[in-house]
Amino acid sequence: MKWKWKHIAAVLCLSFLGALVFYVFQVDKVWQVVLYLPGNANPSEEGDHVLTPGPSPYYIIRESNKCPEGKPPPFLVLLILTVAGEVEARNAIRQTWGNESLAPGLGIIRLFLLGVQESKLGHLQQKTLEAESLRHHDIIQEDFLDTYYNLTLKTLMGMNWVAMHCPRASYVMKTDSDMLVNTVFLIHKLLRPGLNPKTNYFTGYIMPSRDMATNRNKSSKWYMPPEEYSNEMYPEFCSGTGYVFSGDMATKLYGTSLNIPLLRLEDVYVGICLERLGIKPTPSPKGLFSNYRVPFSKAIYRNIVTSHHIDPGRMLDYWHKMWV
């Protein structure tokens, strides 16, 4: 029997549909959180790459077994933004406030968030980073350029990871590698594990009203082009140096981000996502969260959550003095 063109076309269509269905069910069941994000891949005037989206929904380093099913969910997930060369800082955090054994019976998960380096040493750094990952199992990485203006992508990567792999976590903290975080105070005094976990909760250092005005100074690190954000005022937002949110917010924030064009300023962008969700940051007691380096004293550091601009040597020294 001779095949007619319409028969051939029908077979080809069915084959294509079958392949498409197979592909959909093989993408690790992440249709709702895939990382095909809108972005601006044009370089900035300084030569930095702005909001370059990853080419695929796959991580380079995923750590998908960090929060296994069948075990109690962690009380706190720490999402720590870092870059490949900050090995000393990561090791200091592992020994101090990021130690996963700080809250016995509750569970802390520590994750360092990275993109990829574009440099002559990039390949060597990547191999070193992968070896570090095999040793500590606390690194997640995606294929976007690791630049200041891509901190938004990096933060969304962390929220995506929590939404995919640890959605029952009670709380999440996003912070930076040059921060000292008093996780003991955060857990036992602010979040208080004896109470039912909060929902729709987001707190940190709420930026003062003078910083809500959109910065149009092209020479500023925090310059916001009007073509990216046209409003003259930002919604209320928390400093990206360190903020805490309830576990349910990871999925909500990430899902909302899929419908909001990315911005170069990560903390502002998260504030816009919160506004879209109709959720306002919860004020914390004054002085708990700081976006500057707090002068050290044992009494003060044992009763705050964050201090900024802490190098690895200070981190180890301060932490030791806090608890002796």
Side-chain angles (χ1 to χ4, degrees):
M1 182 180 77
K2 291 185 178 181
W3 283 59
K4 294 183 179 180
W5 281 111
K6 63 180 180 180
H7 294 145
I8 296 173
V11 170
L12 289 173
C13 286
L14 288 172
S15 299
F16 173 77
L17 288 172
L20 180 61
V21 170
F22 176 81
Y23 173 79
V24 167
F25 281 96
Q26 293 303 310
V27 186
D28 204 22
K29 299 179 182 178
V30 295
W31 62 271
Q32 60 201 1
V33 286
V34 294
L35 288 169
Y36 290 122
L37 299 177
N40 175 6
N42 296 322
S44 70
E45 294 178 0
E46 294 78 17
D48 200 1
H49 290 265
V50 181
L51 300 175
T52 309
S56 77
Y58 297 108
Y59 291 80
I60 298 172
I61 304 174
R62 184 189 290 265
E63 290 297 347
S64 55
N65 295 321
K66 189 80 172 176
C67 184
E69 291 186 19
K71 289 190 175 181
F75 185 75
L76 179 65
V77 178
L78 296 169
L79 302 176
I80 308 159
L81 276 58
T82 182
V83 295
E86 294 178 337
V87 180
E88 192 178 358
R90 290 193 292 276
N91 284 332
I93 291 169
R94 291 176 180 122
Q95 296 174 61
T96 58
W97 59 267
N99 188 326
E100 294 183 334
S101 64
L102 280 175
L106 291 177
I108 296 175
I109 286 179
R110 174 190 66 240
L111 287 169
F112 294 105
L113 279 53
L114 297 98
V116 296
Q117 299 291 311
E118 187 179 58
S119 68
K120 293 180 180 178
L121 297 176
H123 179 71
L124 178 61
Q125 282 185 325
Q126 183 63 27
K127 292 299 181 184
T128 303
L129 186 69
E130 290 171 1
E132 183 182 346
S133 170
L134 288 173
R135 202 159 52 244
H136 297 287
H137 297 284
D138 59 2
I139 288 170
I140 61 174
Q141 182 188 32
E142 278 182 357
D143 190 13
F144 57 83
L145 289 177
D146 209 335
T147 65
Y148 177 76
Y149 286 147
N150 272 341
L151 291 180
T152 305
L153 276 178
K154 191 182 284 189
T155 299
L156 290 174
M157 172 181 70
M159 293 181 180
N160 176 38
W161 189 94
V162 175
M164 287 174 61
H165 300 296
C166 209
R168 295 191 299 129
S170 297
Y171 296 97
V172 181
M173 180 175 192
K174 177 268 166 185
T175 189
D176 297 332
S177 59
D178 63 346
M179 301 293 291
L180 190 149
V181 177
N182 186 345
T183 30
V184 176
F185 184 93
L186 170 64
I187 290 171
H188 294 289
K189 299 296 183 180
L190 182 62
L191 301 179
R192 302 173 66 187
L195 304 177
N196 290 329
K198 298 179 175 71
T199 58
N200 291 334
Y201 176 73
F202 194 101
T203 193
Y205 177 77
I206 299 176
M207 299 297 287
S209 57
R210 66 177 179 273
D211 293 319
M212 297 296 180
T214 309
N215 190 326
R216 303 299 190 195
N217 179 1
K218 291 186 178 181
S219 64
S220 171
K221 180 181 180 180
W222 299 286
Y223 167 64
M224 177 60 69
E227 59 270 21
E228 281 190 40
Y229 187 78
S230 59
N231 294 352
E232 292 306 312
M233 295 293 291
Y234 295 132
E236 197 169 50
F237 68 96
C238 292
S239 168
T241 52
Y243 49 74
V244 178
F245 50 94
S246 52
D248 63 304
M249 290 296 295
T251 300
K252 292 174 183 177
L253 286 166
Y254 186 83
T256 299
S257 77
L258 297 176
N259 298 308
I260 301 175
L262 295 180
L263 296 180
R264 61 181 66 198
L265 300 180
E266 164 262 327
D267 46 10
V268 170
Y269 182 79
V270 173
I272 292 169
C273 291
L274 284 172
E275 183 184 48
R276 182 72 62 88
L277 288 166
I279 296 171
K280 292 178 69 68
T282 299
S284 62
K286 187 176 180 180
L288 286 194
F289 291 86
S290 298
N291 62 349
Y292 60 89
R293 189 167 76 207
V294 179
F296 181 80
S297 84
K298 179 177 177 178
I300 292 174
Y301 268 63
R302 289 187 70 161
N303 291 283
I304 62 173
V305 177
T306 64
S307 181
H308 196 194
H309 301 302
I310 308 294
D311 61 63
R314 280 195 179 93
M315 192 178 296
L316 292 166
D317 180 48
Y318 289 1
W319 190 261
H320 174 72
K321 289 176 178 176
M322 285 167 66
W323 306 114
V324 294

